[in-house]
Amino acid sequence: MPSPVKALGQARPSGASMAPQARCCSPAALQRRLPILAWLPDYSVSWLKMDAIAGLSVGLTVIPQALAYAEVAALPPQYGLYSAFMGCFVYFFLGTSRDVTLGPTAIMSLLVSFYTFHEPAYAVLLAFLSGCIQLAMGFLRLGFLLDFISCPVIKGFTSAATITIGFGQIKNLLGLQGIPRQFFLQVYHTFRNIGETRYLMAVWSCPCREALPPYSPQSPRGAGFTNGSRSVLARNALVVSFAALVAYSFEVTGYQPFVLTGQTAEGLPPVRLPPFSVTTANGTVSFTEMVQDMGAGLAVVPLMGLLESIAVAKSFASQNNYHVDANQELLAIGLTNVLGSLVSSYPVTGSFGRTAVNAQSGVCTPAGGLVTGVLVLLSLDYLTSLFYYIPKSALAAIIIMAVAPLFDAGIFGTLWRVKRLDLLPLCVTFLLCFWEVQYGILAGTLVSALILLHSVARPKMQVSEGPVLVLQPASGLHFPAIESLREAILSRTLEASPPRCMVLDCTHVCSIDYTVVLGLGDLLGDFHRHGVTLAFVGLQVPIVRALLSAGLKGIQYFSTLEEAEKYLSQEPGTQPYNISEDSVPEHKVALLKA
C-alpha cells in the first residue's frame, strides 16, 4: 500500500523539456493545483479508519474552542462555529499537508477583535477581503514576501499575543464584569475590580485548567490512539460538557454562580454574500467607509493568517517527512476565507493545537477534515441550545491552555547566544504589540530590514597582510556597499606611505550592480594616478559579463591569488588578463557568448 507521506509529499517532476501548453495540462500540473488527485486513487480502508478517528478527535476539540475563540474575537458564540467548518472542506481538495486543520485560532481571533469593532458584519467582510488578498498572492506566487518577516518578529508577536489573550480571559475566570478590551486598561480595571471576584468561578476554573494539558507537537504520530488515550484528545469537549452540566444543576436550583455563554443562534448559517455595507443607528456605512475603518487590518490579518498557517504546515511536514507547497497553501487558505465569508465566517488560518491533535491521532490524508466539518455542522444544527449553559470560565480555561505553548520564554536566551542583535526586533515587536498590533509588526519588520540592509551596506571583509595586501569581501557587492569598500581600500593603500598595490579577491562575489561598477572604475583611476596596481582575483562569469557590458577598461585579473602576488612582486613570467572580449580566457569567452 502506498505511503500517505509519499502521496502527499512526492517530489515535483521537472517537466523542463515540455512545452508550456503541455505542462499546463499535464497530470503533474493538475495534481499541483488539486492535490487530492495525488492521494485519492490510492485511498484505502485502513486510511479511512485513521482519518475518521483523527477527524472525530479534532471535531471534539474544535467545537468548544470555536465557542471560546468567538469570545476572544468579541463576536457572538455562533460565529466561532461558522468559522470552523469551511476550511475542513476546502482543504480536503486543495491542501498539501495531511496534518493541517484550518479554522479559528486564538491569534487570528485577537486580530479580528482589534479591527472589526465587535461588529460581525466587519468580521465577515474582513474574511472576504483577506481571502481575496491571499488568493491574489497565491496566483502571483508572492509567498516569498512572507520571508521578509523574520522569526524574531513572529516570536515577539506571538508572545505578546499570548499574554494579551491569556490576561484577557482573567475576567472570565474570576467572573468580573465591565472590563474593557484595551490591554493596559484591562490590566488596570482587572486589579481595580479584583474584589468583585466570584470565588466559586475562580475555584472551578482550577480543575478545568488541570484537565486541559497543552498539546505538544513532539508527541509521536498516532500516540493519541495507539496508547489508548483517545479520551485525552477530547478533553476540551469533556470539560465543557461537565461544566455545562454543573451550571445547569445550579440553574435548576434557582442559584447561578457562573457567568454563562448565553443564547447561541440555532441552525446552520445562511449562505449569502458578505455585507458590503452595514446599517447602524447613525445611518448606513458604505463599503468604502468599512474598508477605511479596518485600515491596516487588511494587510495585517491576511499576512499573519498566511504566516501562521504556512509555519504550522512546514513544521509538521518537517517532522513527518513530507513536502508542502507554500503557494498552494496560499490558495487553500485564501479560498477558505472567501467561501467562508459566504457563511458568516471571520478570518481563519491553520491551528497549531488542532493540527497537533490531528497528527497525534494518526491522520493519513486531509480526508479527516471531512469528519471534523460534518461534526461542526451537526453541532450547529442540533446542539446550540445546550451551549447556553457553558460557563465562560470553562471556555476561558480552554483559551488559556491553548495559547500557553505559544509563549516561548527560551527564545530570549537562544537569541542572546546565537545573535544578540536579533533581540532588537524581537523586543520592539513584543513591546509595541501591547499598544497596537500593526505598529508592533511593522516596527519589528522595519528593524529587521534595517539590520539586513546594514549587512548589505557594510559587508564583512577579510584583509590579509603578506607580500601583497589582499582584501576579500565575504558576499556580493551592491550599491550601498561601494563607499564602505572604497574606504577600506583607500585607507590601506593610497593613503599609506608609500602607496601600496592591492589584490581584490572576488571569489565570494557573485553579483554586482552598475553603481559598484562605477565605483570600481573610480578606484582604478585613483590607483593609476598614484602609479600602483589594483588587481582582481576570482572573478566569476557574471561579474566579468557586467564589467564588459559597462565598458570598463584597464582591469587586470588573475586566475589565482599566487599569480597575482607574483606579478605584483615583480616576478617574471606572470602576466595578467586584461578585461576585453579578446583577452578573456577561452572558457570564459565561451560562457560569455553563450
Side-chain angles (χ1 to χ4, degrees):
M1 181 184 66
S3 166
V5 172
K6 182 178 180 181
L8 283 176
Q10 55 194 343
R12 179 181 299 179
S14 74
S17 60
M18 299 172 61
Q21 294 86 350
R23 284 202 303 267
C24 293
C25 302
S26 68
L30 192 59
Q31 286 181 6
R32 286 198 295 273
R33 290 304 180 196
L34 281 175
I36 184 177
L37 299 178
W39 55 265
L40 190 60
D42 300 319
Y43 202 75
S44 64
V45 175
S46 61
W47 288 8
L48 176 63
K49 176 183 176 182
M50 299 302 294
D51 286 345
I53 293 172
L56 182 63
S57 300
V58 175
L60 292 175
T61 302
V62 73
I63 292 173
Q65 277 193 349
L67 295 171
Y69 291 152
E71 163 69 21
V72 176
L75 298 174
Q78 65 269 19
Y79 282 89
L81 295 172
Y82 294 166
S83 306
F85 63 86
M86 184 58 72
C88 302
F89 301 121
V90 172
Y91 205 79
F92 171 73
F93 294 98
L94 300 182
T96 61
S97 167
R98 63 162 178 260
D99 298 307
V100 167
T101 63
L102 300 181
T105 66
I107 290 178
M108 193 56 58
S109 301
L110 178 68
L111 293 176
V112 168
S113 72
F114 282 155
Y115 297 113
T116 60
F117 320 106
H118 311 172
E119 286 286 343
Y122 277 88
V124 174
L125 181 61
L126 181 58
F128 174 77
L129 296 177
S130 296
C132 291
I133 293 171
Q134 291 162 340
L135 278 176
M137 292 182 66
F139 282 121
L140 296 175
R141 306 187 70 81
L142 297 179
F144 72 92
L145 293 177
L146 301 178
D147 297 336
F148 288 95
I149 302 181
S150 65
C151 184
V153 173
I154 297 172
K155 289 290 187 180
F157 164 69
T158 54
S159 297
T162 299
I163 295 174
T164 302
I165 294 169
F167 195 88
Q169 296 308 307
I170 297 297
K171 64 180 186 296
N172 291 326
L173 289 178
L174 302 181
L176 302 178
Q177 302 289 331
I179 304 297
R181 288 186 171 270
Q182 206 282 332
F183 179 74
F184 295 109
L185 293 176
Q186 198 173 79
V187 173
Y188 171 75
H189 285 278
T190 297
F191 285 106
R192 181 181 180 183
N193 299 335
I194 199 75
E196 301 173 10
T197 298
R198 299 191 182 193
Y199 292 101
L200 185 57
M201 286 189 68
V203 171
W204 170 252
S205 66
C206 294
C208 286
R209 292 197 304 274
E210 288 297 321
L212 294 167
Y215 297 111
S216 169
Q218 304 301 327
S219 300
R221 289 192 61 79
F225 173 67
T226 58
N227 292 344
S229 56
R230 283 173 288 175
S231 62
V232 173
L233 300 174
R235 281 188 178 182
N236 284 335
L238 294 174
V239 167
V240 167
S241 300
F242 183 69
L245 182 62
V246 172
Y248 177 76
S249 301
F250 278 107
E251 187 81 9
V252 171
T253 64
Y255 170 69
Q256 186 54 267
F258 300 110
V259 177
L260 304 181
T261 297
Q263 190 67 35
T264 302
E266 297 185 7
L268 301 177
V271 179
R272 59 192 177 193
L273 291 174
F276 295 105
S277 63
V278 61
T279 302
T280 66
N282 298 324
T284 300
V285 181
S286 68
F287 172 74
T288 303
E289 292 172 325
M290 293 177 73
V291 169
Q292 290 174 346
D293 290 340
M294 288 186 284
L298 292 174
V300 173
V301 171
L303 287 178
M304 294 312 300
L306 293 176
L307 271 176
E308 188 173 0
S309 186
I310 292 177
V312 169
K314 287 185 175 181
S315 172
F316 282 86
S318 175
Q319 291 177 35
N320 298 319
N321 194 30
Y322 61 89
H323 170 74
V324 293
D325 183 340
N327 285 297
Q328 181 65 24
E329 292 294 303
L330 297 187
L331 297 177
I333 188 173
L335 189 60
T336 294
N337 279 320
V338 169
L339 296 181
S341 68
L342 303 180
V343 289
S344 302
S345 165
Y346 65 80
V348 300
T349 185
S351 166
F352 186 86
R354 294 193 299 276
T355 298
V357 172
N358 212 22
Q360 292 166 21
S361 301
V363 70
C364 295
T365 71
L370 295 181
V371 179
T372 301
V374 169
L375 202 60
V376 174
L377 291 175
L378 290 175
S379 71
L380 274 168
D381 213 17
Y382 297 106
L383 301 179
T384 47
S385 60
L386 302 179
F387 297 155
Y388 178 93
Y389 297 101
I390 298 176
K392 286 192 173 183
S393 58
L395 296 181
I398 289 175
I399 293 171
I400 290 174
M401 298 312 297
V403 301
L406 298 179
F407 187 85
D408 186 1
I411 189 63
F412 295 92
T414 301
L415 292 182
W416 180 264
R417 294 190 300 271
V418 175
K419 186 178 180 181
R420 296 177 184 179
L421 193 58
D422 280 342
L423 284 169
L424 186 57
L426 172 73
C427 294
V428 167
T429 305
F430 179 76
L431 294 175
L432 288 183
C433 276
F434 290 115
W435 176 31
E436 289 284 353
V437 171
Q438 67 267 28
Y439 296 151
I441 296 173
L442 181 61
T445 304
L446 181 60
V447 171
S448 293
L450 290 175
I451 293 173
L452 177 63
L453 290 174
H454 183 269
S455 65
V456 173
R458 298 294 181 268
K460 292 183 179 179
M461 301 180 192
Q462 181 178 345
V463 179
S464 301
E465 294 279 358
V468 176
L469 189 64
V470 180
L471 187 144
Q472 183 184 67
S475 60
L477 293 174
H478 301 283
F479 65 92
I482 189 60
E483 287 303 320
S484 174
L485 177 67
R486 180 182 177 84
E487 181 181 343
I489 292 176
L490 294 182
S491 63
R492 292 174 171 86
T493 56
L494 304 187
E495 295 176 4
S497 182
R500 304 177 61 186
C501 297
M502 170 175 273
V503 175
L504 186 60
D505 188 348
C506 299
T507 304
H508 301 304
V509 178
C510 58
S511 63
I512 59 174
D513 55 40
Y514 182 63
T515 305
V516 174
V517 172
L518 292 180
L520 292 177
D522 293 340
L523 280 172
L524 286 170
D526 291 339
F527 271 76
H528 181 71
R529 284 190 293 272
H530 284 78
V532 289
T533 302
L534 175 62
F536 292 79
V537 168
L539 289 177
Q540 300 185 30
V541 171
I543 310 302
V544 177
R545 190 193 304 272
L547 298 176
L548 284 174
S549 300
L552 205 61
K553 304 296 182 181
I555 289 186
Q556 295 180 326
Y557 79 98
F558 300 83
S559 297
T560 65
L561 182 59
E562 291 76 13
E563 289 182 359
E565 290 179 341
K566 286 181 180 180
Y567 176 78
L568 295 179
S569 300
Q570 302 302 317
E571 293 188 18
T574 302
Q575 293 297 323
Y577 299 109
N578 292 306
I579 290 288
S580 66
E581 187 149 345
D582 294 332
S583 61
V584 174
E586 184 177 345
H587 68 284
K588 293 193 175 181
V589 170
L591 288 172
L592 286 171
K593 291 182 177 180

